[in-house]
Amino acid sequence: MASESAEPRREPNRFTHRELDIMSVLWRRGSGTVAEVRDVLGEDVGYTTVLKMLQILEGKNAVRHEKEGRAHRYYPLVESADAGGSALKRVMNKIFHGSAELLLATLVENREFSDEEIERLRSILDRAQEKEDER
Amino acid sequence: MASESAEPRREPNRFTHRELDIMSVLWRRGSGTVAEVRDVLGEDVGYTTVLKMLQILEGKNAVRHEKEGRAHRYYPLVESADAGGSALKRVMNKIFHGSAELLLATLVENREFSDEEIERLRSILDRAQEKEDER
DNA sequence: TCAATTCTACGAAAACCCTCGTTGACATCC
DNA sequence: GGATGTCAACGAGGGTTTTCGTAGAATTGA
């Protein structure tokens, strides 16, 4: 039966939907007040809702805030690269059987890339290979 | 009779956590009974829990089942490539600012790929480019 | 036949996620 | 001063997700 070690702890860098919406804004802008974040999200999300989510995220150590006049300015503590790495790993393992190739194939299949874009993608692989070769 | 109501409907191919765990097993194995799925997930998930999730997934048309003896055998209806495409798009937009390059860079950074793997990734790009050139 | 096992069905509890109403603090403008 | 606007805090409501207890049907084995 279930080991009762308590901790229904979530794996790190896992965000719910709304949390991700909000983190996304902070990553893009670097920081944001409640009002600023809300502006980006659209007026159909209540002010207090955004505030609450930011407070929840703060409780999870995903953001921190500083006083700015009478308001709070929130900063992301979790890096988007980290969150992205976790998310990609999850997607790769759960959906693509752990295969990066399958993942990449799906990516390029679902979106039409121009020659230049593909060139840039290719150069990312080149750089990775150089690093590999150095070892 | 104005059926207005703004669809709280979820975008297609979006799975919750547990749902994804279960779909993942079905994608890997091709199909599974409740007991089989549960074996893969580990004994810390209750039998009836797995059954319930499969029934929920069936209600969402993500799986179907056939009778097999006294048990049910479940088959995925949603393709992993479709779910993967949606998931990648979401990750790319929310976390990587819509940039496939950033996504790929993070992917190759987080995991060490061998030369052969990188070669295969490269050939995926080659194929995509050929298709592009044909147009 | 009886007991144990293995299965589905159902319902509801528990946990979590998201939302917003309300309050009170402070600031500004008249 | 009083009205108005912006802000954080708190708490609770409602929805969704995840879990499991219980019941009953079918099968197996003694």
Side-chain angles (χ1 to χ4, degrees), chain A residues 3 14 18 34 62 70 73-74 81 89 98 107 117 122:
Chain A
S3 72
R14 271 278 308 305
R18 259 297 184 247
V34 177
R70 205 148 57 78
R73 174 162 298 277
Y74 289 86
K89 208 170 96 185
L107 183 69
E117 283 175 302
R122 206 191 305 274

Side-chain angles (χ1 to χ4, degrees), chain B residues 42-125:
Chain B
E43 298 291 300
D44 49 333
V45 190
Y47 182 97
T48 50
T49 301
V50 175
L51 170 61
K52 181 62 134 187
M53 293 303 301
L54 282 165
Q55 289 171 338
I56 287 172
L57 283 166
E58 189 157 39
K60 295 179 178 179
N61 279 313
V63 308
R64 70 183 172 80
H65 79 266
E66 282 173 7
K67 243 185 150 48
E68 183 178 272
R70 201 148 60 76
H72 290 174
R73 173 162 299 276
Y74 288 86
Y75 298 87
L77 286 178
V78 172
E79 306 262 347
S80 65
D82 291 340
S86 303
L88 281 181
K89 208 171 96 187
R90 208 159 52 246
V91 169
M92 185 165 75
N93 288 332
K94 294 281 181 191
I95 307 186
F96 295 112
H97 310 353
S99 158
E101 296 162 53
L102 220 41
L103 188 156
L104 182 60
T106 302
L107 183 70
V108 301
E109 218 167 82
N110 275 275
R111 173 129 112 63
E112 303 282 322
F113 290 103
S114 67
D115 274 6
E116 299 81 48
E117 284 176 300
I118 291 188
E119 211 35 71
R120 286 201 294 274
L121 292 177
R122 208 191 303 275
S123 69
I124 287 168
L125 295 180

Side-chain angles (χ1 to χ4, degrees), chain A residues 17 21 94 122 126 129, chain B residues 14 21 94 122 126 129:
Chain A
H17 255 345
D21 286 344
K94 296 279 180 192
R122 206 191 305 274
D126 293 341
Q129 199 154 34
Chain B
R14 268 281 302 311
D21 286 343
K94 294 281 181 191
R122 208 191 303 275
D126 292 342
Q129 200 154 34

Side-chain angles (χ1 to χ4, degrees), chain A residues 52-123:
Chain A
K52 181 62 134 185
M53 293 304 299
L54 282 164
Q55 288 170 339
I56 288 172
L57 284 165
E58 189 158 38
K60 295 180 179 178
N61 279 314
V63 308
R64 70 182 171 82
H65 79 266
E66 282 173 8
K67 243 185 149 52
E68 185 178 272
R70 205 148 57 78
H72 289 176
R73 174 162 298 277
Y74 289 86
Y75 297 86
L77 285 178
V78 172
E79 305 261 348
S80 67
D82 291 340
S86 302
L88 282 181
K89 208 170 96 185
R90 206 158 54 246
V91 169
M92 187 165 73
N93 288 331
K94 296 279 180 192
I95 308 185
F96 294 113
H97 310 354
S99 157
E101 296 162 53
L102 220 41
L103 188 156
L104 182 60
T106 302
L107 183 69
V108 301
E109 216 166 84
N110 275 274
R111 171 128 111 65
E112 304 283 322
F113 289 103
S114 67
D115 273 6
E116 298 82 48
E117 283 175 302
I118 291 189
E119 210 37 71
R120 286 199 296 272
L121 292 177
R122 206 191 305 274
S123 68

